[in-house]
Amino acid sequence: MDFLKISNINKSYDKNQVLKNVSLSLKKGEVISIIGPSGSGKSTLLRCISSLEHMDNGLIEFNGVTIAQAQKKLNTTQVVNAYKKIGMVFQNFNLFPHKTVLENIIQAPIIVNNMTKKDAIEIAKKLLVKVDLLDKIDSYPCTLSGGQKQRIAIARCLAMNPDLILFDEPTSALDPRLVGEVLKVIRGLALEKISLIVVTHEMQFAKEISDKIIFMENGEILENSVPELLFSNPKHERIKQFLNLS
């Protein structure tokens, strides 16, 4: 059974159609990387999955629950609970600048999951150890490097105990020397068999961690394949050009 199933999503902004009949599926524990040129609809797809954008047509099912359907508002308890298990990490971190690292991490578990502050702090400390930033627990985001901010953003996401994490170009806003520390954390999540969808321009990283690679351009999926095939012998000439294989 598919853990996540996306069927025929279309999305337009005015007359600009950014997603065109996009369909894909992901099994529990799988890692999918989405690659392709800028402006191809990759981030919009993630935003539709996470309900930050509403699609014009299509259907999204997650863990057996229809969580989004075009022209329908699905606000049942089952749908709300399903969305609580989908986390998203943004390219620009989106940390609260007026809150400490600890406060950033514990806010959602307390407010959304009704967790006690004591339990939330306990979990936050474990997650800060996981991302190697326990020493920054009382720091404010303005004092952190880009790589540190992104690792805190990942810890904040993990505090909600998600079953699926969406990464929207998690290293694109980082200095090249800081990219490795963030990719190391994501690699660790993949090894833990957490379901991941990663939009990325880091080709070698995508090749290493992914069960499937999706190439998008102009709002369409041109190829959905395993890394070994897509990076060595893609079917589409445009992908060969993108990967410098032709």
Side-chain angles (χ1 to χ4, degrees):
M1 176 180 167
D2 292 323
F3 191 52
L4 176 73
K5 186 175 182 181
I6 296 167
S7 305
N8 301 310
I9 288 184
N10 289 273
K11 174 68 180 176
S12 296
Y13 298 105
D14 296 323
K15 294 181 180 179
N16 180 28
Q17 188 172 1
V18 293
L19 294 176
K20 304 170 184 175
N21 295 315
V22 172
S23 297
L24 64 89
S25 61
L26 172 142
K27 298 191 182 304
K28 192 171 179 63
E30 272 191 329
V31 177
I32 291 178
S33 288
I34 304 177
I35 64 172
S38 298
S40 58
K42 305 183 299 293
S43 295
T44 301
L45 175 58
L46 292 194
R47 292 177 70 84
C48 286
I49 297 170
S50 63
S51 194
L52 292 173
E53 296 282 356
H54 296 293
M55 56 202 179
D56 302 326
N57 300 98
L59 183 75
I60 301 176
E61 299 164 273
F62 174 65
N63 203 14
V65 177
T66 298
I67 59 172
Q69 190 170 355
Q71 279 84 50
K72 284 191 176 182
K73 288 188 177 181
L74 304 176
N75 293 322
T76 65
T77 301
Q78 196 177 27
V79 170
V80 171
N81 288 337
Y83 272 119
K84 288 180 183 178
K85 303 303 286 184
I86 300 176
M88 187 158 175
V89 177
F90 301 87
Q91 54 185 301
N92 291 317
F93 327 126
N94 288 9
L95 298 176
F96 298 114
H98 60 293
K99 294 183 180 293
T100 65
V101 163
L102 177 63
E103 290 167 340
N104 265 280
I105 295 172
I106 67 175
Q107 182 166 358
I110 292 172
I111 294 174
V112 179
N113 285 350
N114 297 314
M115 189 178 291
T116 66
K117 186 174 182 179
K118 180 182 177 182
D119 287 345
I121 290 172
E122 185 99 7
I123 288 171
K125 287 179 178 178
K126 290 178 181 177
L127 291 172
L128 286 171
V129 170
K130 189 184 189 84
V131 299
D132 196 23
L133 286 172
L134 184 59
D135 60 321
K136 301 296 183 181
I137 191 167
D138 295 318
S139 300
Y140 285 88
C142 64
T143 68
L144 305 177
S145 70
Q148 289 171 336
K149 289 176 184 176
Q150 194 60 291
R151 283 186 282 158
I152 296 302
I154 294 171
R156 180 179 62 179
C157 177
L158 291 173
M160 291 295 288
N161 193 29
D163 291 329
L164 169 65
I165 304 178
L166 312 173
F167 286 94
D168 185 11
E169 300 191 25
T171 61
S172 67
L174 302 182
D175 184 297
R177 63 192 175 84
L178 302 176
V179 167
E181 62 191 39
V182 174
L183 296 185
K184 179 181 177 182
V185 174
I186 301 174
R187 261 191 207 95
L189 299 178
L191 290 172
E192 292 176 28
K193 292 298 179 182
I194 297 175
S195 302
L196 309 176
I197 299 180
V198 185
V199 169
T200 183
H201 290 292
E202 302 287 340
M203 296 298 109
Q204 185 59 38
F205 173 70
K207 186 177 181 180
E208 287 173 13
I209 71 161
S210 304
D211 297 293
K212 290 188 289 189
I213 304 278
I214 288 172
F215 184 92
M216 289 185 69
E217 186 170 54
N218 296 324
E220 298 179 285
I221 292 177
L222 296 190
E223 189 163 342
N224 182 345
S225 185
V226 295
E228 295 80 6
L229 289 178
L230 190 137
F231 282 103
S232 63
N233 189 28
K235 298 174 185 176
H236 203 285
E237 186 62 34
R238 176 66 186 98
I239 305 174
K240 292 179 182 178
Q241 294 171 359
F242 183 81
L243 297 173
N244 294 318
L245 297 176
S246 60

mmCIF file of all heavy atoms in Angstrom, residues 128-155:
data_model
loop_
_atom_site.group_PDB
_atom_site.id
_atom_site.type_symbol
_atom_site.label_atom_id
_atom_site.label_comp_id
_atom_site.label_asym_id
_atom_site.label_seq_id
_atom_site.Cartn_x
_atom_site.Cartn_y
_atom_site.Cartn_z
ATOM 1 N N LEU A 128 18.334 18.195 20.047
ATOM 2 C CA LEU A 128 19.502 19.069 19.901
ATOM 3 C C LEU A 128 20.802 18.269 19.969
ATOM 4 O O LEU A 128 21.781 18.606 19.298
ATOM 5 C CB LEU A 128 19.475 20.164 20.966
ATOM 6 C CG LEU A 128 18.443 21.269 20.717
ATOM 7 C CD1 LEU A 128 18.319 22.188 21.925
ATOM 8 C CD2 LEU A 128 18.801 22.079 19.469
ATOM 9 N N VAL A 129 20.802 17.210 20.748
ATOM 10 C CA VAL A 129 21.947 16.297 20.746
ATOM 11 C C VAL A 129 22.058 15.631 19.373
ATOM 12 O O VAL A 129 23.145 15.509 18.806
ATOM 13 C CB VAL A 129 21.808 15.238 21.863
ATOM 14 C CG1 VAL A 129 22.878 14.153 21.702
ATOM 15 C CG2 VAL A 129 21.911 15.891 23.237
ATOM 16 N N LYS A 130 20.917 15.228 18.838
ATOM 17 C CA LYS A 130 20.872 14.545 17.538
ATOM 18 C C LYS A 130 21.461 15.406 16.425
ATOM 19 O O LYS A 130 22.161 14.906 15.539
ATOM 20 C CB LYS A 130 19.414 14.203 17.217
ATOM 21 C CG LYS A 130 19.187 13.314 16.012
ATOM 22 C CD LYS A 130 17.680 13.166 15.777
ATOM 23 C CE LYS A 130 17.367 12.135 14.737
ATOM 24 N NZ LYS A 130 17.334 10.775 15.260
ATOM 25 N N VAL A 131 21.176 16.718 16.468
ATOM 26 C CA VAL A 131 21.690 17.619 15.422
ATOM 27 C C VAL A 131 22.966 18.334 15.862
ATOM 28 O O VAL A 131 23.433 19.262 15.208
ATOM 29 C CB VAL A 131 20.616 18.643 14.974
ATOM 30 C CG1 VAL A 131 19.413 17.929 14.395
ATOM 31 C CG2 VAL A 131 20.214 19.586 16.105
ATOM 32 N N ASP A 132 23.520 17.902 17.010
ATOM 33 C CA ASP A 132 24.804 18.388 17.521
ATOM 34 C C ASP A 132 24.782 19.887 17.827
ATOM 35 O O ASP A 132 25.723 20.618 17.516
ATOM 36 C CB ASP A 132 25.921 18.078 16.511
ATOM 37 C CG ASP A 132 27.314 18.188 17.144
ATOM 38 O OD1 ASP A 132 27.414 18.061 18.381
ATOM 39 O OD2 ASP A 132 28.281 18.410 16.404
ATOM 40 N N LEU A 133 23.689 20.341 18.472
ATOM 41 C CA LEU A 133 23.579 21.765 18.803
ATOM 42 C C LEU A 133 23.019 22.008 20.206
ATOM 43 O O LEU A 133 22.405 23.048 20.458
ATOM 44 C CB LEU A 133 22.684 22.480 17.769
ATOM 45 C CG LEU A 133 23.311 22.709 16.391
ATOM 46 C CD1 LEU A 133 22.278 23.235 15.413
ATOM 47 C CD2 LEU A 133 24.494 23.667 16.478
ATOM 48 N N LEU A 134 23.247 21.082 21.108
ATOM 49 C CA LEU A 134 22.732 21.261 22.463
ATOM 50 C C LEU A 134 23.292 22.523 23.122
ATOM 51 O O LEU A 134 22.611 23.179 23.913
ATOM 52 C CB LEU A 134 23.058 20.034 23.324
ATOM 53 C CG LEU A 134 22.495 20.040 24.759
ATOM 54 C CD1 LEU A 134 20.970 20.148 24.759
ATOM 55 C CD2 LEU A 134 22.946 18.798 25.522
ATOM 56 N N ASP A 135 24.508 22.886 22.751
ATOM 57 C CA ASP A 135 25.127 24.081 23.350
ATOM 58 C C ASP A 135 24.452 25.383 22.909
ATOM 59 O O ASP A 135 24.707 26.446 23.478
ATOM 60 C CB ASP A 135 26.619 24.138 23.008
ATOM 61 C CG ASP A 135 26.882 24.207 21.506
ATOM 62 O OD1 ASP A 135 26.150 23.526 20.751
ATOM 63 O OD2 ASP A 135 27.799 24.929 21.093
ATOM 64 N N LYS A 136 23.563 25.306 21.915
ATOM 65 C CA LYS A 136 22.871 26.506 21.417
ATOM 66 C C LYS A 136 21.447 26.607 21.958
ATOM 67 O O LYS A 136 20.661 27.429 21.475
ATOM 68 C CB LYS A 136 22.828 26.489 19.881
ATOM 69 C CG LYS A 136 24.186 26.440 19.209
ATOM 70 C CD LYS A 136 25.004 27.691 19.491
ATOM 71 C CE LYS A 136 26.320 27.654 18.747
ATOM 72 N NZ LYS A 136 27.151 28.852 19.037
ATOM 73 N N ILE A 137 21.112 25.831 22.962
ATOM 74 C CA ILE A 137 19.740 25.724 23.438
ATOM 75 C C ILE A 137 19.134 27.067 23.853
ATOM 76 O O ILE A 137 17.941 27.312 23.661
ATOM 77 C CB ILE A 137 19.635 24.697 24.594
ATOM 78 C CG1 ILE A 137 18.169 24.386 24.913
ATOM 79 C CG2 ILE A 137 20.406 25.156 25.831
ATOM 80 C CD1 ILE A 137 17.990 23.165 25.800
ATOM 81 N N ASP A 138 19.944 27.964 24.411
ATOM 82 C CA ASP A 138 19.429 29.270 24.869
ATOM 83 C C ASP A 138 19.774 30.409 23.914
ATOM 84 O O ASP A 138 19.545 31.582 24.230
ATOM 85 C CB ASP A 138 19.979 29.585 26.265
ATOM 86 C CG ASP A 138 19.468 28.602 27.310
ATOM 87 O OD1 ASP A 138 18.266 28.267 27.275
ATOM 88 O OD2 ASP A 138 20.272 28.164 28.154
ATOM 89 N N SER A 139 20.302 30.077 22.746
ATOM 90 C CA SER A 139 20.692 31.102 21.768
ATOM 91 C C SER A 139 19.486 31.564 20.956
ATOM 92 O O SER A 139 18.478 30.867 20.853
ATOM 93 C CB SER A 139 21.753 30.545 20.813
ATOM 94 O OG SER A 139 22.912 30.140 21.522
ATOM 95 N N TYR A 140 19.621 32.739 20.366
ATOM 96 C CA TYR A 140 18.609 33.254 19.446
ATOM 97 C C TYR A 140 19.073 33.025 18.009
ATOM 98 O O TYR A 140 20.290 32.982 17.740
ATOM 99 C CB TYR A 140 18.353 34.741 19.707
ATOM 100 C CG TYR A 140 17.547 34.992 20.953
ATOM 101 C CD1 TYR A 140 18.177 35.138 22.191
ATOM 102 C CD2 TYR A 140 16.150 35.050 20.898
ATOM 103 C CE1 TYR A 140 17.436 35.348 23.353
ATOM 104 C CE2 TYR A 140 15.396 35.269 22.047
ATOM 105 C CZ TYR A 140 16.044 35.420 23.274
ATOM 106 O OH TYR A 140 15.300 35.611 24.413
ATOM 107 N N PRO A 141 18.143 32.862 17.068
ATOM 108 C CA PRO A 141 18.516 32.566 15.684
ATOM 109 C C PRO A 141 19.525 33.530 15.073
ATOM 110 O O PRO A 141 20.361 33.115 14.259
ATOM 111 C CB PRO A 141 17.166 32.627 14.947
ATOM 112 C CG PRO A 141 16.170 32.190 15.975
ATOM 113 C CD PRO A 141 16.673 32.779 17.267
ATOM 114 N N CYS A 142 19.482 34.807 15.469
ATOM 115 C CA CYS A 142 20.393 35.792 14.869
ATOM 116 C C CYS A 142 21.855 35.501 15.181
ATOM 117 O O CYS A 142 22.755 36.024 14.514
ATOM 118 C CB CYS A 142 20.023 37.198 15.315
ATOM 119 S SG CYS A 142 20.210 37.484 17.086
ATOM 120 N N THR A 143 22.122 34.679 16.179
ATOM 121 C CA THR A 143 23.503 34.367 16.562
ATOM 122 C C THR A 143 24.014 33.093 15.882
ATOM 123 O O THR A 143 25.166 32.713 16.087
ATOM 124 C CB THR A 143 23.623 34.196 18.089
ATOM 125 O OG1 THR A 143 22.906 33.012 18.490
ATOM 126 C CG2 THR A 143 23.059 35.402 18.813
ATOM 127 N N LEU A 144 23.174 32.447 15.104
ATOM 128 C CA LEU A 144 23.525 31.157 14.505
ATOM 129 C C LEU A 144 23.943 31.311 13.051
ATOM 130 O O LEU A 144 23.500 32.216 12.348
ATOM 131 C CB LEU A 144 22.331 30.199 14.579
ATOM 132 C CG LEU A 144 21.711 29.955 15.956
ATOM 133 C CD1 LEU A 144 20.491 29.049 15.819
ATOM 134 C CD2 LEU A 144 22.727 29.357 16.918
ATOM 135 N N SER A 145 24.762 30.371 12.588
ATOM 136 C CA SER A 145 25.107 30.317 11.166
ATOM 137 C C SER A 145 23.911 29.738 10.402
ATOM 138 O O SER A 145 22.984 29.177 10.991
ATOM 139 C CB SER A 145 26.332 29.421 10.945
ATOM 140 O OG SER A 145 25.993 28.062 11.188
ATOM 141 N N GLY A 146 23.963 29.854 9.078
ATOM 142 C CA GLY A 146 22.886 29.294 8.268
ATOM 143 C C GLY A 146 22.729 27.797 8.472
ATOM 144 O O GLY A 146 21.617 27.278 8.581
ATOM 145 N N GLY A 147 23.854 27.091 8.540
ATOM 146 C CA GLY A 147 23.786 25.643 8.750
ATOM 147 C C GLY A 147 23.194 25.289 10.098
ATOM 148 O O GLY A 147 22.431 24.324 10.225
ATOM 149 N N GLN A 148 23.539 26.062 11.119
ATOM 150 C CA GLN A 148 22.978 25.826 12.446
ATOM 151 C C GLN A 148 21.479 26.105 12.459
ATOM 152 O O GLN A 148 20.693 25.351 13.048
ATOM 153 C CB GLN A 148 23.695 26.699 13.475
ATOM 154 C CG GLN A 148 25.130 26.257 13.748
ATOM 155 C CD GLN A 148 25.903 27.254 14.593
ATOM 156 O OE1 GLN A 148 25.581 28.450 14.626
ATOM 157 N NE2 GLN A 148 26.936 26.785 15.272
ATOM 158 N N LYS A 149 21.069 27.174 11.798
ATOM 159 C CA LYS A 149 19.634 27.492 11.725
ATOM 160 C C LYS A 149 18.860 26.358 11.057
ATOM 161 O O LYS A 149 17.772 25.982 11.513
ATOM 162 C CB LYS A 149 19.407 28.788 10.933
ATOM 163 C CG LYS A 149 19.850 30.046 11.651
ATOM 164 C CD LYS A 149 19.671 31.267 10.751
ATOM 165 C CE LYS A 149 20.195 32.520 11.412
ATOM 166 N NZ LYS A 149 20.115 33.701 10.508
ATOM 167 N N GLN A 150 19.421 25.812 9.986
ATOM 168 C CA GLN A 150 18.706 24.745 9.290
ATOM 169 C C GLN A 150 18.641 23.477 10.127
ATOM 170 O O GLN A 150 17.625 22.774 10.124
ATOM 171 C CB GLN A 150 19.362 24.465 7.931
ATOM 172 C CG GLN A 150 18.511 23.617 6.989
ATOM 173 C CD GLN A 150 17.187 24.248 6.654
ATOM 174 O OE1 GLN A 150 16.297 24.361 7.504
ATOM 175 N NE2 GLN A 150 17.017 24.669 5.408
ATOM 176 N N ARG A 151 19.693 23.194 10.880
ATOM 177 C CA ARG A 151 19.647 22.025 11.771
ATOM 178 C C ARG A 151 18.631 22.235 12.889
ATOM 179 O O ARG A 151 17.948 21.283 13.306
ATOM 180 C CB ARG A 151 21.039 21.741 12.336
ATOM 181 C CG ARG A 151 21.952 21.052 11.325
ATOM 182 C CD ARG A 151 23.270 20.653 11.942
ATOM 183 N NE ARG A 151 24.180 21.788 12.079
ATOM 184 C CZ ARG A 151 25.188 21.830 12.936
ATOM 185 N NH1 ARG A 151 25.406 20.821 13.768
ATOM 186 N NH2 ARG A 151 25.986 22.884 12.977
ATOM 187 N N ILE A 152 18.499 23.453 13.377
ATOM 188 C CA ILE A 152 17.464 23.749 14.374
ATOM 189 C C ILE A 152 16.084 23.584 13.752
ATOM 190 O O ILE A 152 15.155 23.051 14.377
ATOM 191 C CB ILE A 152 17.628 25.176 14.941
ATOM 192 C CG1 ILE A 152 18.943 25.313 15.700
ATOM 193 C CG2 ILE A 152 16.440 25.536 15.845
ATOM 194 C CD1 ILE A 152 19.123 24.356 16.854
ATOM 195 N N ALA A 153 15.934 24.030 12.508
ATOM 196 C CA ALA A 153 14.649 23.873 11.810
ATOM 197 C C ALA A 153 14.293 22.392 11.663
ATOM 198 O O ALA A 153 13.119 22.012 11.791
ATOM 199 C CB ALA A 153 14.700 24.548 10.445
ATOM 200 N N ILE A 154 15.284 21.564 11.414
ATOM 201 C CA ILE A 154 15.037 20.119 11.315
ATOM 202 C C ILE A 154 14.635 19.556 12.680
ATOM 203 O O ILE A 154 13.697 18.760 12.795
ATOM 204 C CB ILE A 154 16.282 19.389 10.770
ATOM 205 C CG1 ILE A 154 16.539 19.818 9.318
ATOM 206 C CG2 ILE A 154 16.108 17.872 10.859
ATOM 207 C CD1 ILE A 154 17.855 19.330 8.747
ATOM 208 N N ALA A 155 15.335 19.995 13.732
ATOM 209 C CA ALA A 155 14.974 19.547 15.086
ATOM 210 C C ALA A 155 13.554 19.972 15.432
ATOM 211 O O ALA A 155 12.793 19.199 16.038
ATOM 212 C CB ALA A 155 15.971 20.121 16.097
#
